[in-house]
Amino acid sequence: GSLRSSTVVPFVDGGTEGFQGNARVVIPGMTACVECSIYLYPPQTTYPLCTIAHQPRLPEHCVEYAKVLLWPQRKPFGDGVPVDGDSPEHVAWLCEQAQQRAAEFGITGVTYRLAQGVVKHIVPAVASTNAAIAAACAAEALKLAANLDLMSNYMQFNDGYGVYCATVELMKDEECPCCSNRPRMMHFRRSDTLRAVVDYICRLAS
């Protein structure tokens, strides 16, 4: 059926990573949703296991070595206990092991804070970037409340080298599994489980 604009609840989204940030306005069913532009987001940082195990070059490699290889082998807090990035004891143990590993290869810079950041995948935050993106989101929310023209519809911001800001219009993906109104036929056997349906939708989205 057709979308009733009176029932649509728009939302404003923003995020930062270091000196980079973005803000966007999503009007469900009318503009591109997050899934439509998921290709814009970089994959999570990972380190090759061969580098971690044999030739570490960065302090992060040493922390990953302690987490991925030493933790399962030595079981410092008991069998089957996973790494908890919010546990000071866990992070301290990983930091100590990583420092020993770093000393073997002449690597400096392994600290408790770094170890916690690697374990919890903490993204560095810069106050000026956060402030700029928060201001952009607040401005768009105010425009929505006052029924003013919105930005179209994705803003990129970078203040690492000077200040760069650009607004582009992300196009709605008509094949998007999340926001497309286009019907899609899916065929399953009577014996298929809910897991088969979920797996099929995940493959479709990827």
Side-chain angles (χ1 to χ4, degrees):
S2 60
L3 185 68
R4 292 182 58 186
S5 59
S6 60
T7 64
V8 171
V9 179
F11 70 92
V12 180
D13 176 63
T16 66
E17 181 177 359
F19 290 102
Q20 303 177 64
N22 66 79
R24 67 190 303 163
V25 178
V26 177
I27 304 177
M30 298 181 183
T31 64
C33 71
V34 175
E35 187 67 29
C36 288
S37 55
I38 199 69
Y39 62 89
L40 291 174
Y41 299 93
Q44 193 174 54
T45 301
T46 58
Y47 304 103
L49 188 59
C50 57
T51 300
I52 295 171
H54 303 294
Q55 195 62 42
R57 297 184 299 275
L58 301 172
E60 291 84 355
H61 294 164
C62 300
V63 178
E64 281 290 313
Y65 175 83
K67 174 188 171 185
V68 175
L69 297 177
L70 294 185
W71 185 279
Q73 292 175 1
R74 300 184 182 178
K75 304 177 178 61
F77 295 91
D79 193 15
V81 177
V83 175
D84 182 1
D86 292 317
S87 168
E89 293 80 11
H90 288 198
V91 177
W93 187 88
L94 291 171
C95 181
E96 180 182 353
Q97 303 303 314
Q99 287 172 340
Q100 294 177 11
R101 175 75 169 174
E104 294 176 14
F105 289 87
I107 299 172
T108 59
V110 177
T111 63
Y112 181 94
R113 185 173 181 178
L114 174 80
Q116 189 176 45
V118 172
V119 172
K120 297 181 66 176
H121 303 288
I122 295 175
V123 176
V126 177
S128 59
T129 310
N130 291 348
I133 297 303
C137 291
E140 296 307 311
L142 182 61
K143 291 177 187 178
L144 283 168
N147 199 27
L148 300 174
D149 290 337
L150 301 170
M151 68 175 174
S152 304
N153 51 14
Y154 182 85
M155 185 198 77
Q156 295 174 299
F157 177 84
N158 191 322
D159 61 346
Y161 301 95
V163 176
Y164 169 81
C165 186
T167 302
V168 297
E169 182 175 4
L170 298 179
M171 303 306 295
K172 191 173 182 294
D173 183 3
E174 297 302 329
E175 299 293 332
C176 178
C178 293
C179 70
S180 174
N181 290 325
R182 180 175 299 179
R184 185 182 297 273
M185 294 295 296
M186 296 187 293
H187 302 280
F188 298 97
R189 298 183 298 270
R190 288 182 178 272
S191 59
D192 283 339
T193 62
L194 178 59
R195 168 53 56 188
V197 177
V198 172
D199 291 342
Y200 176 85
I201 294 174
C202 290
R203 290 195 302 271
L204 188 67
S206 61

